[in-house]
Amino acid sequence: MREIDCSYGEGGGQLLRTSVVLAAITGLSVHVYNIRAKRSNPGLAPQHLTAVKAVAALCSAQTEGVEIKSQEIIFRPGPLRGGEYDFPVGTAGSVTLVLQAALPAAMACGEKLRMSISGGTDVRAAPPLDYFRYVLLPLVYSMGARAKVEVLLRGYYPRGGGKVVVDVEPCLPLRPLILNTSEGLEGITGFAHISNLPRHIVHRMANAALAELSTFPTPAVGLEVFGKDEAVGEGGAVLLTAHKEHSRLGASAVAERGVRAERLGAEAGKRLREEILSGATLDIHAADQVLIYLALASGESCFLTRELSSHAATTIWLLEQFLPVRFQVTQEAHLIRVHATPEFNSRSSFLWR
């Protein structure tokens, strides 16, 4: 049984979610303690609880301590299985954080699988669903992943109520991701949406984002206004994507009550501009979220990023506790190179059980 102290490093919910995913994939039991100990409200919140239960369902795990506010759990995985699953967060907890946990395990189960996840699709302190769909997933697709995400309803804080359906086919091991150099910029696209709010808000958000990117050739942002049949509650978000030959960079912002639309759009535009000008091949959020997929690849991967967050550094530490993979992080001028070397051989075939 692996012993994982969740107060290590960044100390957030990602350590818990990734620990149970890796347990499900490898078949190794895990004892996770000090869960979110560095947070003002330590222990399992609803979205963390749903993530653990989702992964547990995929592998018929035996669990102890899986309840709200628990700071310690034991997770004993069984065999991963396909089929149809329903994972309700029950609040405006993030759909994408649950999906981040469940997707790698779903990819490893060896059978087709469908997940219905309900909760908040675009909430603070979590990646908006469109970032997951249009930035992270294309990167994982390039590694051979086979997954499709359909949005049935948008949902926002505090009601939640959004619903997403995800179809996944077996695809491990993945191909390596090689992003050694930053190719020329092919274009910038974006998507801004609001739900059950006046139409002028989405225009103001998009125009502010475009103003920050005006020095680049012909950026284009699509607009969408969702009504009560397409969204639960009021909210919105903006996603901007810079397209390169083999990669893409993303930046996003989620609407907040009391924060002007112009400020949200400008923040997303400024972040994307910084990513483009840095010469990075992955933005700082993708650099964090793609790490588990690099560890599940059949060969060496690498990328360049302008910053490696404490969240990413903590994830690297955790991956090396479970998997035969080694990460090397080096400084190259103003960028950081991350190199992942999975050490797979005939004895590590248990990973694809």
Side-chain angles (χ1 to χ4, degrees), residues 315-330:
T315 300
I316 286 174
W317 169 81
L318 181 63
L319 289 168
E320 293 183 340
Q321 308 306 304
F322 276 90
L323 298 174
V325 61
R326 290 294 173 263
F327 287 87
Q328 184 178 14
V329 179
T330 55

Side-chain angles (χ1 to χ4, degrees), residues 32-57:
V32 185
Y33 57 96
N34 289 331
I35 295 171
R36 301 179 69 245
K38 295 181 179 180
R39 298 296 191 258
S40 58
N41 55 341
L44 290 173
Q47 66 192 19
H48 308 111
L49 184 66
T50 303
V52 173
K53 287 184 174 180
V55 178

Side-chain angles (χ1 to χ4, degrees), residues 17 44-55 67-68 85-102 115-124 126 129 155-164:
R17 292 190 298 271
L44 290 173
Q47 66 192 19
H48 308 111
L49 184 66
T50 303
V52 173
K53 287 184 174 180
V55 178
E67 57 191 40
I68 293 293
Y85 298 87
D86 187 19
F87 303 135
V89 181
T91 68
S94 171
V95 165
T96 55
L97 291 183
V98 175
L99 185 52
Q100 278 183 4
M115 300 180 286
S116 296
I117 309 174
S118 57
T121 57
D122 302 273
V123 297
R124 292 181 58 193
L129 184 61
Y156 310 94
Y157 178 86
R159 295 175 61 188
K163 187 168 184 179
V164 173

Side-chain angles (χ1 to χ4, degrees), residues 182-232:
S182 180
E183 311 90 347
L185 181 65
E186 295 182 343
I188 296 174
T189 60
F191 175 65
H193 81 273
I194 56 167
S195 299
N196 302 309
L197 290 169
R199 179 176 292 273
H200 66 83
I201 294 175
V202 74
H203 286 278
R204 290 160 48 203
M205 190 161 51
N207 288 337
L210 289 170
E212 293 290 336
L213 300 168
S214 60
T215 57
F216 299 105
T218 59
V221 177
L223 308 179
E224 190 74 59
V225 178
F226 298 121
K228 62 181 181 180
D229 294 333
E230 301 162 298
V232 177

Side-chain angles (χ1 to χ4, degrees), residues 287-307:
D288 176 1
Q289 296 171 39
V290 80
L291 292 169
I292 188 169
Y293 300 102
L294 305 191
L296 296 172
S298 60
E300 298 182 12
S301 300
C302 62
F303 63 83
L304 297 168
T305 185
R306 66 186 178 93
E307 180 183 333

